[in-house]
Amino acid sequence: MSKATVRSRRSCLAVPGSNPRFLEKAKGLPADQVFLDLEDACAPLMKPQGRKNIVAALNEGGWGEKVRVVRVNDWTTEWTYRDVIEVVEGAGANLDCIMLPKVQDAAQVVALDTLLTQIEKTVGLEVGRIGIEAQIENAVGLVNVDAIAAASPRTETIIFGPADFMASINMKSLVVGEQPPGYDVGDAYHYILMRILMAARSYGLQAIDGPYLQIRDVEGFTRVAKRSAALGFDGKWVLHPGQVDAANETYSPSQEDYDHAELILDAYAFYTSEAGGMKGSAMIGDEMIDEASRKMAIVVAGKGRAAGMERTTSFTPPEG
Ligand code: GLV
Ligand code: MG
């Protein structure tokens, strides 16, 4: 299993790098991932100070089991190379991934991979340990998403950036995450989400949904999160502490589904074994299970295990 699939990323908390108070507060929140932002949540004049704050916050520690990510600026700006060099030279050992926004093609991912390798060699870090998270935020990025997903073995996630994406395609709405008024025949984001999910799954990567900006509307957040969770997405950005629990809950399997998945795995292992009769399919109660059931169960069990869930039932092989 790749490192990306074992990391839990149900809630990915955005924290502006320019604000030391928010950086400190984020350490205590129960988000699976934090990303310390040098891009759009950090004003241009604050970028140099933001880099310093982020290096200090990572090196101070206190992040627990969280996946620690820094979002740098995109390659069309003048800031990217300095973001990467300062952050990785200063705190590379205390960092899990670099998030690259507004990715347009595979070459942009390769460029980041190359720069990371040079820094790792220079400062004596393990080469290839720092992962890449690629944000898809415009039409050209989506059109090239397969090549982007395949561009580097460092890549762990493909992320949907709805705000920039809506601007990029001229969608007639300013309310990020909600349906554009006038579109009444389905979910206007379905194609984009599915496109990202297919590319991510083709290369063993996680698929992450982007932000919901009405931060006080936890019900709205949950409603939108449930859609991408139902499709198979692994998690969603959270912009406010109030969204963290909702994300963790929405992207975890229910206890019932988790228990059932573990049961299927145990039962299938038993029935396909010599002791269980080397069967290709078997019954659990009224349900027939086979190899495809095992594959589905692995996904649900994997998400539950990554989220630290514990099973409440066990499989007992039949007598005789
Ligand atoms: C996030 O970066 C977005 O643009 O939605
Ligand atoms: Mg964006």
Side-chain angles (χ1 to χ4, degrees):
M1 209 184 280
S2 74
K3 61 188 169 181
T5 43
V6 297
R7 282 184 168 148
S8 194
R9 284 183 164 100
R10 298 166 302 173
S11 47
C12 305
L13 177 69
V15 192
S18 48
N19 191 323
R21 195 167 57 83
F22 284 1
L23 287 166
E24 191 52 37
K25 180 151 188 234
K27 293 182 183 177
L29 296 174
D32 287 345
Q33 166 172 321
V34 283
F35 75 87
L36 315 182
D37 196 14
L38 285 170
E39 203 221 15
D40 286 356
C42 187
L45 292 176
M46 283 302 288
K47 308 250 186 222
Q49 186 58 42
R51 294 178 189 128
K52 289 186 175 49
N53 296 345
I54 286 174
V55 167
L58 288 171
N59 288 339
E60 270 159 27
W63 297 97
E65 296 292 299
K66 293 181 184 52
V67 186
R68 299 153 302 174
V69 179
V70 173
R71 179 166 74 163
V72 297
N73 289 280
D74 83 272
W75 278 123
T76 64
T77 69
E78 67 270 41
W79 297 301
T80 322
Y81 78 104
R82 259 189 208 286
D83 291 345
V84 179
I85 291 170
E86 263 195 52
V87 167
V88 180
E89 282 194 352
N94 296 316
L95 171 72
D96 298 305
C97 294
I98 294 286
M99 184 188 297
L100 188 63
K102 303 183 179 68
V103 178
Q104 303 197 36
D105 56 31
Q108 295 191 330
V109 177
V110 173
L112 176 58
D113 183 327
T114 307
L115 182 54
L116 284 170
T117 300
Q118 292 197 349
I119 302 169
E120 286 165 339
K121 283 182 177 164
T122 304
V123 299
L125 294 167
E126 181 192 338
V127 172
R129 190 194 58 81
I130 295 175
I132 293 177
E133 303 202 342
Q135 251 193 303
I136 300 299
E137 307 201 73
N138 48 44
V140 68
L142 192 67
V143 166
N144 290 327
V145 69
D146 296 329
I148 289 168
S152 162
R154 292 181 189 266
T155 307
E156 298 190 14
T157 69
I158 305 290
I159 305 163
F160 175 39
D164 277 299
F165 202 97
M166 289 162 76
S168 146
I169 63 170
N170 295 0
M171 193 179 259
K172 277 172 114 177
S173 171
L174 287 172
V175 187
V176 173
E178 295 295 350
Q179 300 300 314
Y183 192 75
D184 57 3
V185 289
D187 179 356
Y189 304 99
H190 180 78
Y191 168 73
I192 309 167
L193 291 171
M194 268 308 205
R195 192 70 198 79
I196 287 174
L197 186 61
M198 292 307 113
R201 293 293 180 254
S202 298
Y203 296 97
L205 310 180
Q206 289 185 326
I208 305 295
D209 196 1
Y212 183 77
L213 299 190
Q214 316 303 116
I215 56 170
R216 304 210 186 285
D217 182 2
V218 179
E219 226 171 274
F221 173 90
T222 306
R223 180 169 33 79
V224 172
K226 275 186 171 165
R227 293 188 195 133
S228 66
L231 293 178
F233 272 62
D234 299 282
K236 184 170 175 66
W237 281 17
V238 293
L239 303 180
H240 186 265
Q243 296 177 327
V244 175
D245 287 346
N248 288 345
E249 195 181 322
T250 306
Y251 292 92
S252 298
S254 67
Q255 186 67 46
E256 196 186 341
D257 285 350
Y258 174 63
D259 284 342
H260 192 57
E262 294 284 14
L263 188 72
I264 289 175
L265 293 178
D266 285 353
Y268 190 70
F270 171 74
Y271 286 116
T272 51
S273 73
E274 214 163 313
M278 295 180 284
K279 300 190 175 108
S281 64
M283 296 299 288
I284 315 184
D286 291 340
E287 182 187 9
M288 196 173 94
I289 58 164
D290 65 4
E291 177 55 24
S293 322
R294 187 187 67 84
K295 289 201 178 84
M296 290 195 293
I298 277 185
V299 173
V300 175
K303 284 193 183 191
R305 289 176 200 168
M309 292 177 79
E310 292 196 10
R311 58 192 299 184
T312 59
T313 58
S314 60
F315 171 69
T316 321
E319 299 274 319

